Amino acid sequence: MKKTTAVVLDALAIVIVSIISFAAVPVSETFLTAYGFLIAAVLSQLVPAFLSAKAKDIAYKTALHTLSLLYLIAQLAVSILGYSVLSERLIFVAVISSVLLILYIAAVIVAMQIINSGNNMKKRENQKVFFINRVQLELEQIKSDTKDNELAASLDKICDAVKFSNLNSPPEAADVEGKILDEIDNLKKQISADKAREIKAACEKILSLLSERNMICKLYK
């Protein structure tokens, strides 16, 4: 749900709740307390709209909506009791409502920590496979641009080596991965200059560096 739509619907809900509350129940301290916490619960329905952007997973978004809805239902029940059978129990209504609000805030904080943790984990996983994906794309681009059968065969050999390389990149492989990318840039330059010997040497160097990277990945996996 878009933020603007959520705000409009929430404002409408507050108007309806206010009209019904003030029309049906005599104003008292208990009533105002119960009413105030009920409005807070209605406003809590905006929380998912403003925080769900950080939740990439549908399960996390559903969790935020569920927490807010459960809080609204629980507070609605307490407020209705405060309007009626507990109308003389101000402190009781205030304490129960405060506990519900604190529990809701704590649950949202925990949910956001879990969401942020999940997002960071996905980000780290994407970073780990970024290198292999980049190398594959660059090699495929070079291969698609070449008409040299010998170079195409060499590129196929390198692509196979990349295909069967370790997918995840440990921090210890950063140096050799940088060298591989530099050598791919060098290969492009040699292809542009049409230097057959240098092209062959660059291909062999890339294969050697990929083997070195695989050894590092196996050592630090």
Side-chain angles (χ1 to χ4, degrees):
M1 184 184 297
K2 292 183 179 180
K3 294 178 182 179
T4 304
T5 304
V7 170
V8 171
L9 290 176
D10 214 60
L12 181 61
I14 289 174
V15 171
I16 294 172
V17 167
S18 298
I19 292 173
I20 294 174
S21 297
F22 282 94
V25 184
V27 176
S28 66
E29 289 185 348
T30 304
F31 163 77
L32 292 175
T33 300
Y35 169 77
F37 278 104
L38 180 56
I39 294 302
V42 174
L43 288 172
S44 74
Q45 304 310 298
L46 292 175
V47 170
F50 284 87
L51 294 184
S52 61
K54 294 184 178 181
K56 308 259 190 303
D57 195 312
I58 187 65
Y60 294 147
K61 293 183 178 182
T62 302
L64 288 173
H65 283 284
T66 301
L67 284 173
S68 296
L69 184 58
L70 288 175
Y71 170 51
L72 176 60
I73 293 172
Q75 183 56 56
L76 178 61
V78 173
S79 293
I80 290 174
L81 290 174
Y83 288 173
S84 54
V85 296
L86 298 177
S87 59
E88 303 297 326
R89 305 286 296 276
L90 171 62
I91 295 178
F92 182 81
V93 172
V95 169
I96 296 299
S97 297
S98 297
V99 170
L100 288 176
L101 178 58
I102 291 170
L103 288 175
Y104 171 69
I105 293 173
V108 170
I109 291 173
V110 171
M112 290 309 301
Q113 289 178 337
I114 294 173
I115 289 170
N116 289 333
S117 177
N119 289 341
N120 290 336
M121 187 177 296
K122 286 183 179 180
K123 185 177 180 180
R124 287 194 295 270
E125 289 301 318
N126 289 336
Q127 289 174 339
K128 285 182 178 180
V129 302
F130 173 76
F131 170 75
I132 289 296
N133 291 337
R134 177 179 174 182
V135 170
Q136 287 176 326
L137 287 173
E138 294 209 27
L139 291 173
E140 289 296 335
Q141 184 61 51
I142 296 173
K143 184 179 174 182
S144 65
D145 292 339
T146 186
K147 296 180 180 178
D148 188 312
N149 292 333
E150 185 177 351
L151 175 57
S154 296
L155 290 172
D156 282 336
K157 190 174 181 180
I158 297 173
C159 287
D160 287 340
V162 172
K163 181 179 178 181
F164 293 104
S165 292
N166 292 73
L167 189 61
N168 293 334
S169 296
E172 292 80 5
D175 184 56
V176 69
E177 288 178 351
K179 292 179 180 178
I180 292 171
L181 294 175
D182 289 341
E183 200 58 43
I184 290 176
D185 288 337
N186 177 52
L187 174 60
K188 292 177 182 177
K189 292 177 182 177
Q190 303 307 329
I191 292 173
S192 297
D194 198 22
K195 296 181 178 180
R197 186 171 63 181
E198 284 78 2
I199 291 172
K200 182 178 180 181
C203 290
E204 292 175 351
K205 181 66 174 178
I206 293 171
L207 284 171
S208 175
L209 290 170
L210 283 170
S211 297
E212 183 181 344
R213 176 186 177 275
N214 285 338
M215 292 178 63
I216 293 174
C217 290
K218 289 178 181 178
L219 186 62
Y220 292 100
K221 67 179 180 179

